Amino acid sequence: MKRLCFGTFATILKICMAKRVTQKRLCGTILLSIAPDYDIRSDDGTVSDLILGKKNLSPYVTDVAPTADARAASNYFKQNILPLLDSNKKSLIVLALKDMIASDDTIEPDTVVEKVNDMTKKNIAGRDAFVLEDFLAGIFLYTAVNVENRNCEENVKKITDEYIQSFEAQKTNISFLTAYSRFSTETADEIAIDTHSLVLLAETGGKCQKCGRLLGIKKEGNDVNYAKVVHLSETDDVVLCVDCEREMRNASEEEKSALLSDKHDLENLMAARDATSRYALEKQVEYVLREVQLMDVTDDTRLKIEPVKVERKITEKRLKERVLFDVRQLYEGVNNALDRLSGENKLNVDRFAKSVKRMYEDASEKLTSQSDIYNLLADTLFEKTSRKYREACKIIISYFVQRCEVFDEIAE
Ligand SMILES: [Zn+2]
């Protein structure tokens, strides 16, 4: 465990100060921020005792600290303390302070540790972007008001060069702001929750992941159809409607893991989509279709003429979502590419459609699961078109599901 006190705070700054600066100048200047008449910048002994955690801050400092103007202290830090620090080590300072605060179990999660913006231990742990002068002044005020600095030698000894250097790899995680947005941290938390729900809702197409009911973000007067985020595991949240959320409270492990695996499929689908823009996908579809002419095509299969809705052909919920998504996004794109290639005499669309139909019939003799059949068709197309764009192959198969070469209508 690490502990936050003036000694450990000042030691972190000392390790990260600019070359020409001395520890007594640094420490003395910090204290002048709230006690302008208390100048120990030439008092080696006192400075050393304070930094080593051997004695308490003087009453000149601790008496005024509880009522000090925190905003003014931050301005002072900006003018007078930041120039004393090595500008390459600002992120290390923040990372070390964050780590120290997080590991100090004498501080409660809701305790305000940064006194300029009233940030709690929990707020600090959740942030990666800071106003440096606020952060340092706010924490300094905490050490002056809330903790004894006497008997802290053992804690100070843990703050070594190696400890500071251990954060080197995380430096890029920290960014600096000139001001925090005018939102309170509560508002920011609420927005973060809404954003999280939105990300989950985007994955499910705006629906309850379990029953498929359309969902919104919770607002006044909207008491059933809003998205409830449910934690399934350490790292996985799903979005459900209120009813399904209630059901899940008593769900078996089996039901939970089914929901979880469903969720992973959705994530994979999103990731695949994000990785490739729609424009790029259309190009890839066209590329795959140009390769199609090389496929072995036989032409003894009659095509259905009337398209039947995907809805009525696919029983597996997730596959249906996927195919509907493709069809909505890219049906026109595939159709246009087919027209274009046919116009250029690069592809006989009818023959291609028939060969897809035949592939489907072969596949459905061997396989029963619709997603297995779908994947086999996409894989076969992928194999036969120089193995370049798997995602485009899936989209083309989805197109043929909509056009009815793939999957028969389910009898009602
Ligand atoms: Zn539901």
Side-chain angles (χ1 to χ4, degrees), residues 160-305:
T160 60
D161 284 357
E162 291 72 40
Y163 172 65
I164 303 294
Q165 285 307 318
S166 72
F167 298 104
E168 192 66 37
Q170 301 168 47
K171 262 168 91 169
T172 50
N173 297 346
I174 298 297
S175 56
F176 292 105
L177 308 167
T178 51
Y180 292 109
S181 76
R182 60 199 173 79
F183 293 122
S184 69
T185 41
E186 272 107 274
T187 322
D189 285 348
E190 256 175 48
I191 290 171
I193 290 164
D194 277 0
T195 310
H196 186 46
S197 308
L198 279 173
V199 168
L200 295 173
L201 280 171
E203 279 177 4
T204 62
K207 294 169 184 168
C208 168
Q209 199 194 299
K210 202 153 172 283
C211 72
R213 179 185 287 166
L214 276 169
L215 297 175
I217 300 289
K218 181 169 180 155
K219 290 287 173 278
E220 289 304 316
N222 163 9
D223 52 1
V224 179
N225 284 355
Y226 68 85
K228 287 212 87 165
V229 176
V230 179
H231 305 288
L232 275 189
S233 73
E234 279 281 297
T235 50
D236 292 288
D237 294 337
V238 296
V239 69
L240 298 176
C241 69
V242 175
D243 293 339
C244 289
E245 188 265 340
R246 199 174 300 125
E247 264 180 47
M248 282 313 287
R249 286 182 212 164
N250 306 312
S252 65
E253 283 309 309
E254 217 174 7
E255 284 173 300
K256 281 186 190 161
S257 72
L259 205 59
L260 200 59
S261 101
D262 216 26
K263 151 86 184 167
H264 291 151
D265 289 349
L266 285 170
E267 281 176 347
N268 290 337
L269 183 56
M270 276 301 269
R273 284 295 141 72
D274 286 348
T276 333
S277 72
R278 180 171 155 172
Y279 174 77
L281 277 172
E282 287 189 2
K283 289 280 160 212
Q284 294 174 9
V285 165
E286 183 156 341
Y287 174 90
V288 170
L289 291 174
R290 282 180 190 280
E291 295 283 310
V292 158
Q293 55 169 329
L294 307 171
M295 283 172 62
D296 174 31
V297 174
T298 51
D299 52 1
D300 55 358
T301 311
R302 281 185 52 207
L303 297 182
K304 280 187 190 169
I305 298 159

Side-chain angles (χ1 to χ4, degrees), residues 298 320 333 381:
T298 51
K320 188 191 282 186
L381 188 58

